[in-house]
PDB file of all heavy atoms in Angstrom:
ATOM      1  N   PHE A   1     296.050 147.325 114.647  1.00 98.00           N
ATOM      2  CA  PHE A   1     295.284 148.177 115.535  1.00 98.00           C
ATOM      3  C   PHE A   1     294.144 148.808 114.749  1.00 98.00           C
ATOM      4  O   PHE A   1     294.217 148.925 113.532  1.00 98.00           O
ATOM      5  CB  PHE A   1     296.164 149.277 116.136  1.00 98.00           C
ATOM      6  CG  PHE A   1     297.312 148.767 116.962  1.00 98.00           C
ATOM      7  CD1 PHE A   1     298.440 148.228 116.366  1.00 98.00           C
ATOM      8  CD2 PHE A   1     297.269 148.835 118.349  1.00 98.00           C
ATOM      9  CE1 PHE A   1     299.502 147.759 117.116  1.00 98.00           C
ATOM     10  CE2 PHE A   1     298.327 148.374 119.122  1.00 98.00           C
ATOM     11  CZ  PHE A   1     299.435 147.834 118.505  1.00 98.00           C
ATOM     12  N   ARG A   2     293.100 149.216 115.447  1.00 98.00           N
ATOM     13  CA  ARG A   2     292.005 149.888 114.765  1.00 98.00           C
ATOM     14  C   ARG A   2     291.442 150.996 115.649  1.00 98.00           C
ATOM     15  O   ARG A   2     291.563 150.965 116.868  1.00 98.00           O
ATOM     16  CB  ARG A   2     290.883 148.910 114.386  1.00 98.00           C
ATOM     17  CG  ARG A   2     290.098 148.348 115.564  1.00 98.00           C
ATOM     18  CD  ARG A   2     289.101 147.302 115.082  1.00 98.00           C
ATOM     19  NE  ARG A   2     288.321 146.742 116.174  1.00 98.00           N
ATOM     20  CZ  ARG A   2     287.508 145.696 116.052  1.00 98.00           C
ATOM     21  NH1 ARG A   2     287.365 145.098 114.870  1.00 98.00           N
ATOM     22  NH2 ARG A   2     286.827 145.261 117.108  1.00 98.00           N
ATOM     23  N   GLN A   3     290.816 151.964 114.991  1.00 97.00           N
ATOM     24  CA  GLN A   3     290.197 153.068 115.698  1.00 97.00           C
ATOM     25  C   GLN A   3     288.909 153.445 114.976  1.00 97.00           C
ATOM     26  O   GLN A   3     288.936 153.797 113.801  1.00 97.00           O
ATOM     27  CB  GLN A   3     291.129 154.269 115.789  1.00 97.00           C
ATOM     28  CG  GLN A   3     290.592 155.395 116.649  1.00 97.00           C
ATOM     29  CD  GLN A   3     291.645 156.431 116.982  1.00 97.00           C
ATOM     30  OE1 GLN A   3     292.650 156.559 116.284  1.00 97.00           O
ATOM     31  NE2 GLN A   3     291.428 157.164 118.056  1.00 97.00           N
ATOM     32  N   ALA A   4     287.805 153.362 115.692  1.00 95.00           N
ATOM     33  CA  ALA A   4     286.508 153.758 115.167  1.00 95.00           C
ATOM     34  C   ALA A   4     286.256 155.221 115.519  1.00 95.00           C
ATOM     35  O   ALA A   4     286.816 155.744 116.492  1.00 95.00           O
ATOM     36  CB  ALA A   4     285.410 152.874 115.739  1.00 95.00           C
ATOM     37  N   PRO A   5     285.405 155.898 114.751  1.00 86.00           N
ATOM     38  CA  PRO A   5     285.091 157.298 115.061  1.00 86.00           C
ATOM     39  C   PRO A   5     284.580 157.464 116.480  1.00 86.00           C
ATOM     40  O   PRO A   5     283.672 156.745 116.915  1.00 86.00           O
ATOM     41  CB  PRO A   5     284.015 157.650 114.030  1.00 86.00           C
ATOM     42  CG  PRO A   5     284.278 156.719 112.885  1.00 86.00           C
ATOM     43  CD  PRO A   5     284.730 155.438 113.533  1.00 86.00           C
ATOM     44  N   GLY A   6     285.173 158.392 117.216  1.00 90.00           N
ATOM     45  CA  GLY A   6     284.753 158.658 118.575  1.00 90.00           C
ATOM     46  C   GLY A   6     285.230 157.664 119.608  1.00 90.00           C
ATOM     47  O   GLY A   6     284.840 157.764 120.779  1.00 90.00           O
ATOM     48  N   LYS A   7     286.051 156.709 119.213  1.00 93.00           N
ATOM     49  CA  LYS A   7     286.546 155.709 120.144  1.00 93.00           C
ATOM     50  C   LYS A   7     288.068 155.686 120.149  1.00 93.00           C
ATOM     51  O   LYS A   7     288.721 156.176 119.231  1.00 93.00           O
ATOM     52  CB  LYS A   7     286.005 154.324 119.793  1.00 93.00           C
ATOM     53  CG  LYS A   7     284.497 154.191 119.905  1.00 93.00           C
ATOM     54  CD  LYS A   7     284.051 152.768 119.633  1.00 93.00           C
ATOM     55  CE  LYS A   7     282.552 152.609 119.791  1.00 93.00           C
ATOM     56  NZ  LYS A   7     282.113 151.212 119.538  1.00 93.00           N
ATOM     57  N   GLY A   8     288.633 155.106 121.192  1.00 93.00           N
ATOM     58  CA  GLY A   8     290.065 155.001 121.303  1.00 93.00           C
ATOM     59  C   GLY A   8     290.640 153.886 120.448  1.00 93.00           C
ATOM     60  O   GLY A   8     289.926 153.007 119.961  1.00 93.00           O
ATOM     61  N   ARG A   9     291.936 153.931 120.273  1.00 94.00           N
ATOM     62  CA  ARG A   9     292.613 152.908 119.492  1.00 94.00           C
ATOM     63  C   ARG A   9     292.723 151.618 120.298  1.00 94.00           C
ATOM     64  O   ARG A   9     293.018 151.646 121.495  1.00 94.00           O
ATOM     65  CB  ARG A   9     294.007 153.398 119.092  1.00 94.00           C
ATOM     66  CG  ARG A   9     294.756 152.458 118.167  1.00 94.00           C
ATOM     67  CD  ARG A   9     296.106 153.050 117.785  1.00 94.00           C
ATOM     68  NE  ARG A   9     296.977 153.170 118.934  1.00 94.00           N
ATOM     69  CZ  ARG A   9     298.124 153.852 118.941  1.00 94.00           C
ATOM     70  NH1 ARG A   9     298.517 154.492 117.841  1.00 94.00           N
ATOM     71  NH2 ARG A   9     298.859 153.896 120.042  1.00 94.00           N
ATOM     72  N   GLU A  10     292.489 150.503 119.652  1.00 95.00           N
ATOM     73  CA  GLU A  10     292.597 149.217 120.311  1.00 95.00           C
ATOM     74  C   GLU A  10     293.435 148.271 119.466  1.00 95.00           C
ATOM     75  O   GLU A  10     293.444 148.351 118.241  1.00 95.00           O
ATOM     76  CB  GLU A  10     291.221 148.604 120.567  1.00 95.00           C
ATOM     77  CG  GLU A  10     290.445 148.248 119.310  1.00 95.00           C
ATOM     78  CD  GLU A  10     289.174 147.471 119.588  1.00 95.00           C
ATOM     79  OE1 GLU A  10     289.125 146.747 120.607  1.00 95.00           O
ATOM     80  OE2 GLU A  10     288.225 147.587 118.787  1.00 95.00           O
ATOM     81  N   ARG A  11     294.125 147.373 120.148  1.00 96.00           N
ATOM     82  CA  ARG A  11     294.886 146.363 119.439  1.00 96.00           C
ATOM     83  C   ARG A  11     293.972 145.214 119.062  1.00 96.00           C
ATOM     84  O   ARG A  11     293.325 144.615 119.922  1.00 96.00           O
ATOM     85  CB  ARG A  11     296.061 145.852 120.279  1.00 96.00           C
ATOM     86  CG  ARG A  11     297.020 144.980 119.474  1.00 96.00           C
ATOM     87  CD  ARG A  11     298.279 144.639 120.253  1.00 96.00           C
ATOM     88  NE  ARG A  11     298.039 143.609 121.249  1.00 96.00           N
ATOM     89  CZ  ARG A  11     298.981 143.079 122.022  1.00 96.00           C
ATOM     90  NH1 ARG A  11     300.235 143.520 121.923  1.00 96.00           N
ATOM     91  NH2 ARG A  11     298.681 142.146 122.892  1.00 96.00           N
ATOM     92  N   VAL A  12     293.955 144.911 117.788  1.00 98.00           N
ATOM     93  CA  VAL A  12     293.117 143.838 117.274  1.00 98.00           C
ATOM     94  C   VAL A  12     293.828 142.505 117.389  1.00 98.00           C
ATOM     95  O   VAL A  12     293.259 141.505 117.843  1.00 98.00           O
ATOM     96  CB  VAL A  12     292.729 144.111 115.808  1.00 98.00           C
ATOM     97  CG1 VAL A  12     291.945 142.941 115.225  1.00 98.00           C
ATOM     98  CG2 VAL A  12     291.925 145.401 115.713  1.00 98.00           C
ATOM     99  N   SER A  13     295.082 142.486 116.969  1.00 98.00           N
ATOM    100  CA  SER A  13     295.861 141.258 116.988  1.00 98.00           C
ATOM    101  C   SER A  13     297.328 141.597 116.859  1.00 98.00           C
ATOM    102  O   SER A  13     297.694 142.685 116.417  1.00 98.00           O
ATOM    103  CB  SER A  13     295.426 140.325 115.842  1.00 98.00           C
ATOM    104  OG  SER A  13     296.107 139.084 115.905  1.00 98.00           O
ATOM    105  N   CYS A  14     298.163 140.655 117.241  1.00 97.00           N
ATOM    106  CA  CYS A  14     299.603 140.844 117.147  1.00 97.00           C
ATOM    107  C   CYS A  14     300.279 139.497 117.006  1.00 97.00           C
ATOM    108  O   CYS A  14     299.823 138.502 117.579  1.00 97.00           O
ATOM    109  CB  CYS A  14     300.121 141.576 118.385  1.00 97.00           C
ATOM    110  SG  CYS A  14     301.883 141.966 118.339  1.00 97.00           S
ATOM    111  N   ILE A  15     301.356 139.471 116.255  1.00 96.00           N
ATOM    112  CA  ILE A  15     302.179 138.277 116.135  1.00 96.00           C
ATOM    113  C   ILE A  15     303.617 138.677 116.416  1.00 96.00           C
ATOM    114  O   ILE A  15     304.155 139.599 115.810  1.00 96.00           O
ATOM    115  CB  ILE A  15     302.018 137.612 114.751  1.00 96.00           C
ATOM    116  CG1 ILE A  15     302.843 136.328 114.674  1.00 96.00           C
ATOM    117  CG2 ILE A  15     302.368 138.571 113.616  1.00 96.00           C
ATOM    118  CD1 ILE A  15     302.486 135.454 113.469  1.00 96.00           C
ATOM    119  N   SER A  16     304.244 137.999 117.366  1.00 95.00           N
ATOM    120  CA  SER A  16     305.592 138.345 117.766  1.00 95.00           C
ATOM    121  C   SER A  16     306.602 137.797 116.771  1.00 95.00           C
ATOM    122  O   SER A  16     306.277 137.020 115.872  1.00 95.00           O
ATOM    123  CB  SER A  16     305.885 137.809 119.170  1.00 95.00           C
ATOM    124  OG  SER A  16     306.119 136.417 119.146  1.00 95.00           O
ATOM    125  N   SER A  17     307.853 138.203 116.942  1.00 93.00           N
ATOM    126  CA  SER A  17     308.919 137.699 116.088  1.00 93.00           C
ATOM    127  C   SER A  17     309.128 136.204 116.272  1.00 93.00           C
ATOM    128  O   SER A  17     309.726 135.553 115.410  1.00 93.00           O
ATOM    129  CB  SER A  17     310.219 138.454 116.366  1.00 93.00           C
ATOM    130  OG  SER A  17     310.646 138.260 117.704  1.00 93.00           O
ATOM    131  N   ARG A  18     308.634 135.661 117.377  1.00 92.00           N
ATOM    132  CA  ARG A  18     308.738 134.232 117.636  1.00 92.00           C
ATOM    133  C   ARG A  18     307.463 133.473 117.285  1.00 92.00           C
ATOM    134  O   ARG A  18     307.369 132.273 117.554  1.00 92.00           O
ATOM    135  CB  ARG A  18     309.110 133.989 119.096  1.00 92.00           C
ATOM    136  CG  ARG A  18     310.406 134.673 119.503  1.00 92.00           C
ATOM    137  CD  ARG A  18     310.897 134.183 120.841  1.00 92.00           C
ATOM    138  NE  ARG A  18     312.088 134.905 121.276  1.00 92.00           N
ATOM    139  CZ  ARG A  18     312.826 134.585 122.323  1.00 92.00           C
ATOM    140  NH1 ARG A  18     312.499 133.539 123.062  1.00 92.00           N
ATOM    141  NH2 ARG A  18     313.886 135.305 122.632  1.00 92.00           N
ATOM    142  N   GLY A  19     306.498 134.171 116.705  1.00 93.00           N
ATOM    143  CA  GLY A  19     305.289 133.522 116.235  1.00 93.00           C
ATOM    144  C   GLY A  19     304.170 133.409 117.250  1.00 93.00           C
ATOM    145  O   GLY A  19     303.157 132.755 116.968  1.00 93.00           O
ATOM    146  N   ILE A  20     304.312 134.022 118.421  1.00 95.00           N
ATOM    147  CA  ILE A  20     303.246 133.999 119.411  1.00 95.00           C
ATOM    148  C   ILE A  20     302.170 135.003 119.007  1.00 95.00           C
ATOM    149  O   ILE A  20     302.477 136.144 118.653  1.00 95.00           O
ATOM    150  CB  ILE A  20     303.777 134.319 120.813  1.00 95.00           C
ATOM    151  CG1 ILE A  20     304.891 133.329 121.177  1.00 95.00           C
ATOM    152  CG2 ILE A  20     302.650 134.260 121.844  1.00 95.00           C
ATOM    153  CD1 ILE A  20     304.453 131.878 121.173  1.00 95.00           C
ATOM    154  N   ILE A  21     300.906 134.611 119.089  1.00 96.00           N
ATOM    155  CA  ILE A  21     299.785 135.394 118.585  1.00 96.00           C
ATOM    156  C   ILE A  21     298.819 135.752 119.700  1.00 96.00           C
ATOM    157  O   ILE A  21     298.515 134.921 120.565  1.00 96.00           O
ATOM    158  CB  ILE A  21     299.043 134.616 117.479  1.00 96.00           C
ATOM    159  CG1 ILE A  21     299.954 134.433 116.259  1.00 96.00           C
ATOM    160  CG2 ILE A  21     297.749 135.313 117.095  1.00 96.00           C
ATOM    161  CD1 ILE A  21     299.389 133.515 115.204  1.00 96.00           C
ATOM    162  N   ASP A  22     298.342 136.982 119.659  1.00 96.00           N
ATOM    163  CA  ASP A  22     297.298 137.455 120.563  1.00 96.00           C
ATOM    164  C   ASP A  22     296.149 138.036 119.746  1.00 96.00           C
ATOM    165  O   ASP A  22     296.366 138.629 118.682  1.00 96.00           O
ATOM    166  CB  ASP A  22     297.825 138.531 121.514  1.00 96.00           C
ATOM    167  CG  ASP A  22     298.722 137.971 122.604  1.00 96.00           C
ATOM    168  OD1 ASP A  22     298.468 136.839 123.055  1.00 96.00           O
ATOM    169  OD2 ASP A  22     299.668 138.671 123.006  1.00 96.00           O
ATOM    170  N   TYR A  23     294.914 137.884 120.257  1.00 97.00           N
ATOM    171  CA  TYR A  23     293.735 138.485 119.656  1.00 97.00           C
ATOM    172  C   TYR A  23     292.934 139.218 120.716  1.00 97.00           C
ATOM    173  O   TYR A  23     292.862 138.787 121.868  1.00 97.00           O
ATOM    174  CB  TYR A  23     292.822 137.429 119.030  1.00 97.00           C
ATOM    175  CG  TYR A  23     293.390 136.701 117.835  1.00 97.00           C
ATOM    176  CD1 TYR A  23     293.875 135.402 117.956  1.00 97.00           C
ATOM    177  CD2 TYR A  23     293.426 137.300 116.586  1.00 97.00           C
ATOM    178  CE1 TYR A  23     294.384 134.729 116.866  1.00 97.00           C
ATOM    179  CE2 TYR A  23     293.936 136.628 115.488  1.00 97.00           C
ATOM    180  CZ  TYR A  23     294.417 135.344 115.635  1.00 97.00           C
ATOM    181  OH  TYR A  23     294.921 134.671 114.540  1.00 97.00           O
ATOM    182  N   ALA A  24     292.310 140.312 120.303  1.00 97.00           N
ATOM    183  CA  ALA A  24     291.330 140.946 121.165  1.00 97.00           C
ATOM    184  C   ALA A  24     290.127 140.026 121.306  1.00 97.00           C
ATOM    185  O   ALA A  24     289.771 139.301 120.374  1.00 97.00           O
ATOM    186  CB  ALA A  24     290.901 142.290 120.582  1.00 97.00           C
ATOM    187  N   ASP A  25     289.493 140.048 122.477  1.00 97.00           N
ATOM    188  CA  ASP A  25     288.350 139.176 122.708  1.00 97.00           C
ATOM    189  C   ASP A  25     287.238 139.402 121.681  1.00 97.00           C
ATOM    190  O   ASP A  25     286.527 138.467 121.310  1.00 97.00           O
ATOM    191  CB  ASP A  25     287.794 139.393 124.114  1.00 97.00           C
ATOM    192  CG  ASP A  25     288.707 138.847 125.192  1.00 97.00           C
ATOM    193  OD1 ASP A  25     289.564 137.993 124.883  1.00 97.00           O
ATOM    194  OD2 ASP A  25     288.555 139.264 126.358  1.00 97.00           O
ATOM    195  N   SER A  26     287.102 140.625 121.213  1.00 97.00           N
ATOM    196  CA  SER A  26     286.029 140.966 120.299  1.00 97.00           C
ATOM    197  C   SER A  26     286.178 140.334 118.917  1.00 97.00           C
ATOM    198  O   SER A  26     285.212 140.283 118.154  1.00 97.00           O
ATOM    199  CB  SER A  26     285.916 142.485 120.152  1.00 97.00           C
ATOM    200  OG  SER A  26     287.129 143.037 119.669  1.00 97.00           O
ATOM    201  N   VAL A  27     287.374 139.849 118.582  1.00 98.00           N
ATOM    202  CA  VAL A  27     287.602 139.290 117.250  1.00 98.00           C
ATOM    203  C   VAL A  27     287.995 137.823 117.272  1.00 98.00           C
ATOM    204  O   VAL A  27     288.157 137.219 116.201  1.00 98.00           O
ATOM    205  CB  VAL A  27     288.661 140.096 116.470  1.00 98.00           C
ATOM    206  CG1 VAL A  27     288.306 141.570 116.443  1.00 98.00           C
ATOM    207  CG2 VAL A  27     290.056 139.883 117.061  1.00 98.00           C
ATOM    208  N   LYS A  28     288.128 137.234 118.442  1.00 98.00           N
ATOM    209  CA  LYS A  28     288.513 135.832 118.531  1.00 98.00           C
ATOM    210  C   LYS A  28     287.502 134.941 117.817  1.00 98.00           C
ATOM    211  O   LYS A  28     286.295 135.103 117.969  1.00 98.00           O
ATOM    212  CB  LYS A  28     288.640 135.406 119.995  1.00 98.00           C
ATOM    213  CG  LYS A  28     289.876 135.939 120.690  1.00 98.00           C
ATOM    214  CD  LYS A  28     289.961 135.443 122.132  1.00 98.00           C
ATOM    215  CE  LYS A  28     291.223 135.950 122.809  1.00 98.00           C
ATOM    216  NZ  LYS A  28     291.293 135.523 124.228  1.00 98.00           N
ATOM    217  N   GLY A  29     288.025 134.024 117.040  1.00 98.00           N
ATOM    218  CA  GLY A  29     287.176 133.131 116.275  1.00 98.00           C
ATOM    219  C   GLY A  29     286.758 133.676 114.931  1.00 98.00           C
ATOM    220  O   GLY A  29     286.219 132.925 114.107  1.00 98.00           O
ATOM    221  N   ARG A  30     286.984 134.964 114.693  1.00 98.00           N
ATOM    222  CA  ARG A  30     286.597 135.586 113.426  1.00 98.00           C
ATOM    223  C   ARG A  30     287.792 136.081 112.618  1.00 98.00           C
ATOM    224  O   ARG A  30     287.761 136.048 111.393  1.00 98.00           O
ATOM    225  CB  ARG A  30     285.642 136.751 113.672  1.00 98.00           C
ATOM    226  CG  ARG A  30     284.347 136.354 114.371  1.00 98.00           C
ATOM    227  CD  ARG A  30     283.356 137.517 114.413  1.00 98.00           C
ATOM    228  NE  ARG A  30     283.879 138.647 115.173  1.00 98.00           N
ATOM    229  CZ  ARG A  30     284.064 139.866 114.666  1.00 98.00           C
ATOM    230  NH1 ARG A  30     283.766 140.110 113.389  1.00 98.00           N
ATOM    231  NH2 ARG A  30     284.533 140.843 115.432  1.00 98.00           N
ATOM    232  N   PHE A  31     288.827 136.564 113.296  1.00 98.00           N
ATOM    233  CA  PHE A  31     290.005 137.115 112.626  1.00 98.00           C
ATOM    234  C   PHE A  31     291.180 136.166 112.782  1.00 98.00           C
ATOM    235  O   PHE A  31     291.314 135.471 113.801  1.00 98.00           O
ATOM    236  CB  PHE A  31     290.389 138.466 113.223  1.00 98.00           C
ATOM    237  CG  PHE A  31     289.431 139.588 112.932  1.00 98.00           C
ATOM    238  CD1 PHE A  31     288.186 139.357 112.384  1.00 98.00           C
ATOM    239  CD2 PHE A  31     289.796 140.895 113.224  1.00 98.00           C
ATOM    240  CE1 PHE A  31     287.306 140.396 112.124  1.00 98.00           C
ATOM    241  CE2 PHE A  31     288.930 141.943 112.973  1.00 98.00           C
ATOM    242  CZ  PHE A  31     287.688 141.697 112.423  1.00 98.00           C
ATOM    243  N   THR A  32     292.065 136.170 111.791  1.00 98.00           N
ATOM    244  CA  THR A  32     293.272 135.364 111.833  1.00 98.00           C
ATOM    245  C   THR A  32     294.452 136.189 111.339  1.00 98.00           C
ATOM    246  O   THR A  32     294.407 136.746 110.245  1.00 98.00           O
ATOM    247  CB  THR A  32     293.150 134.106 110.961  1.00 98.00           C
ATOM    248  OG1 THR A  32     292.033 133.319 111.387  1.00 98.00           O
ATOM    249  CG2 THR A  32     294.417 133.260 111.072  1.00 98.00           C
ATOM    250  N   ILE A  33     295.501 136.260 112.154  1.00 98.00           N
ATOM    251  CA  ILE A  33     296.715 136.950 111.759  1.00 98.00           C
ATOM    252  C   ILE A  33     297.754 135.912 111.328  1.00 98.00           C
ATOM    253  O   ILE A  33     297.820 134.818 111.884  1.00 98.00           O
ATOM    254  CB  ILE A  33     297.260 137.832 112.904  1.00 98.00           C
ATOM    255  CG1 ILE A  33     298.367 138.763 112.403  1.00 98.00           C
ATOM    256  CG2 ILE A  33     297.753 136.986 114.070  1.00 98.00           C
ATOM    257  CD1 ILE A  33     298.805 139.805 113.429  1.00 98.00           C
ATOM    258  N   SER A  34     298.539 136.263 110.332  1.00 97.00           N
ATOM    259  CA  SER A  34     299.601 135.387 109.863  1.00 97.00           C
ATOM    260  C   SER A  34     300.715 136.234 109.273  1.00 97.00           C
ATOM    261  O   SER A  34     300.512 137.409 108.951  1.00 97.00           O
ATOM    262  CB  SER A  34     299.076 134.383 108.831  1.00 97.00           C
ATOM    263  OG  SER A  34     298.573 135.044 107.684  1.00 97.00           O
TER     264      SER A  34
END
């Protein structure tokens, strides 16, 4: 998760215990979780 000054907290990415991955639209193609 991340929080910029003056903005709310947002989820950037997540990986479940079963390996399913989600990305925020703003970081797709640029960030990779593992």
Side-chain angles (χ1 to χ4, degrees):
F1 299 76
R2 69 185 180 189
Q3 186 167 22
K7 296 184 178 181
R9 185 178 65 192
E10 65 172 332
R11 190 172 76 177
V12 175
S13 184
C14 184
I15 183 167
S16 76
S17 62
R18 303 192 184 189
I20 303 301
I21 295 172
D22 286 326
Y23 294 103
D25 289 340
S26 59
V27 307
K28 286 182 178 178
R30 300 188 298 120
F31 290 11
T32 302
I33 191 171
S34 62

